Amino acid sequence: MAAPAALPPVVDAGTWQRQLDALRAREKAATRELDAIAAQRRRLPMVEMPDYTLEGEQGPIRLVDVFDGRSQLIAYHHMWFPHKQWQCPGCTGFTSQFTRLEVLDNYDARFVIVTQGPIEEALEYKRRVGNKMTWYSTANSPFGGDVGAPPGGGFAVNVFLRDGDTVYRTWHTNGRGTEQLSYTFALIDLLPYGRQEEWQDSPEGWPQSPTYSRWASSEDIAALYGPDA
């Protein structure tokens, strides 16, 4: 690999510790702010949802049954391009991180993928890239469009709460709002050079490249996790 374009300044341990302590104060403040945001999120009102029918691996399934008996549901809406062999690399990379979701069982919750792609194509893509989450299709339902993920639209996250047979929508985000669910950017942002993307505020001489250029392609992810890996 090529030598880095620039290096952080070298200082004595005391100077380093003082600057780390100053940064830590900001990090702690951000943590407290995130706690406050989560508290506000828990106080959001909710909206009652119609009785949607999606398509699952076993056929048509009511939205209330996607909960699989649990009271809370997180749905990631995966971008879909009709008749394409490889789907959105961002969505493919994001969802490939979630291989051990049993932890949600202790919180009476489930995390699934919903896509506008026909269920047969969606399940084939899931297999091709080695995805472990449960997939559903909203191709024959207005559900995706009603919750911010219409055909031809982008990705989104929605959270739902079930009370008996009634489902409520409690939260939604899209764009960079989904980053809080990902561990990859959290790790990369710890590195001295960060994401190395042009939009980032970095010191002069830091390596930077076009946005998305370092992201794994869907083909790369399939090579790592798919059936032929």
Side-chain angles (χ1 to χ4, degrees), residues 82-93:
H83 314 304
K84 296 293 185 181
Q85 180 182 12
W86 300 109
Q87 298 298 325
C88 169
C91 290
T92 303

Side-chain angles (χ1 to χ4, degrees), residues 173-192:
T173 194
N174 54 23
R176 292 190 65 199
T178 62
E179 283 187 11
Q180 64 180 291
L181 307 179
S182 166
Y183 72 82
T184 54
F185 288 128
L187 291 176
I188 294 168
D189 284 342
L190 294 178
L191 300 173

Side-chain angles (χ1 to χ4, degrees), residues 84-150:
K84 296 293 185 181
Q85 180 182 12
W86 300 109
Q87 298 298 325
C88 169
C91 290
T92 303
F94 178 85
T95 56
S96 71
Q97 301 173 60
F98 301 100
T99 58
R100 297 184 178 182
L101 292 166
E102 295 82 5
V103 64
L104 293 178
D105 292 343
N106 292 336
Y107 297 88
D108 194 23
R110 191 181 189 208
F111 191 178
V112 302
I113 293 178
V114 179
T115 182
Q116 289 286 351
I119 189 61
E120 295 82 5
E121 292 183 20
L123 294 176
E124 170 55 27
Y125 188 70
K126 171 188 173 180
R127 183 200 66 80
R128 187 181 309 131
V129 299
N131 194 281
K132 303 300 182 184
M133 298 171 76
T134 304
W135 284 53
Y136 297 93
S137 169
T138 187
N140 299 314
S141 165
F143 172 67
D146 289 351
V147 295

Side-chain angles (χ1 to χ4, degrees), residues 2-10 192-194 196 202-208:
L7 295 170
V10 178
Y193 296 122
Q196 303 180 41
S202 296
E204 185 70 26
W206 251 228
Q208 289 185 301

Side-chain angles (χ1 to χ4, degrees), residues 71-94:
S71 67
Q72 302 170 102
L73 178 71
I74 302 169
Y76 181 81
H77 298 263
H78 196 296
M79 290 181 69
W80 193 262
F81 304 104
H83 314 304
K84 296 293 185 181
Q85 180 182 12
W86 300 109
Q87 298 298 325
C88 169
C91 290
T92 303
F94 178 85

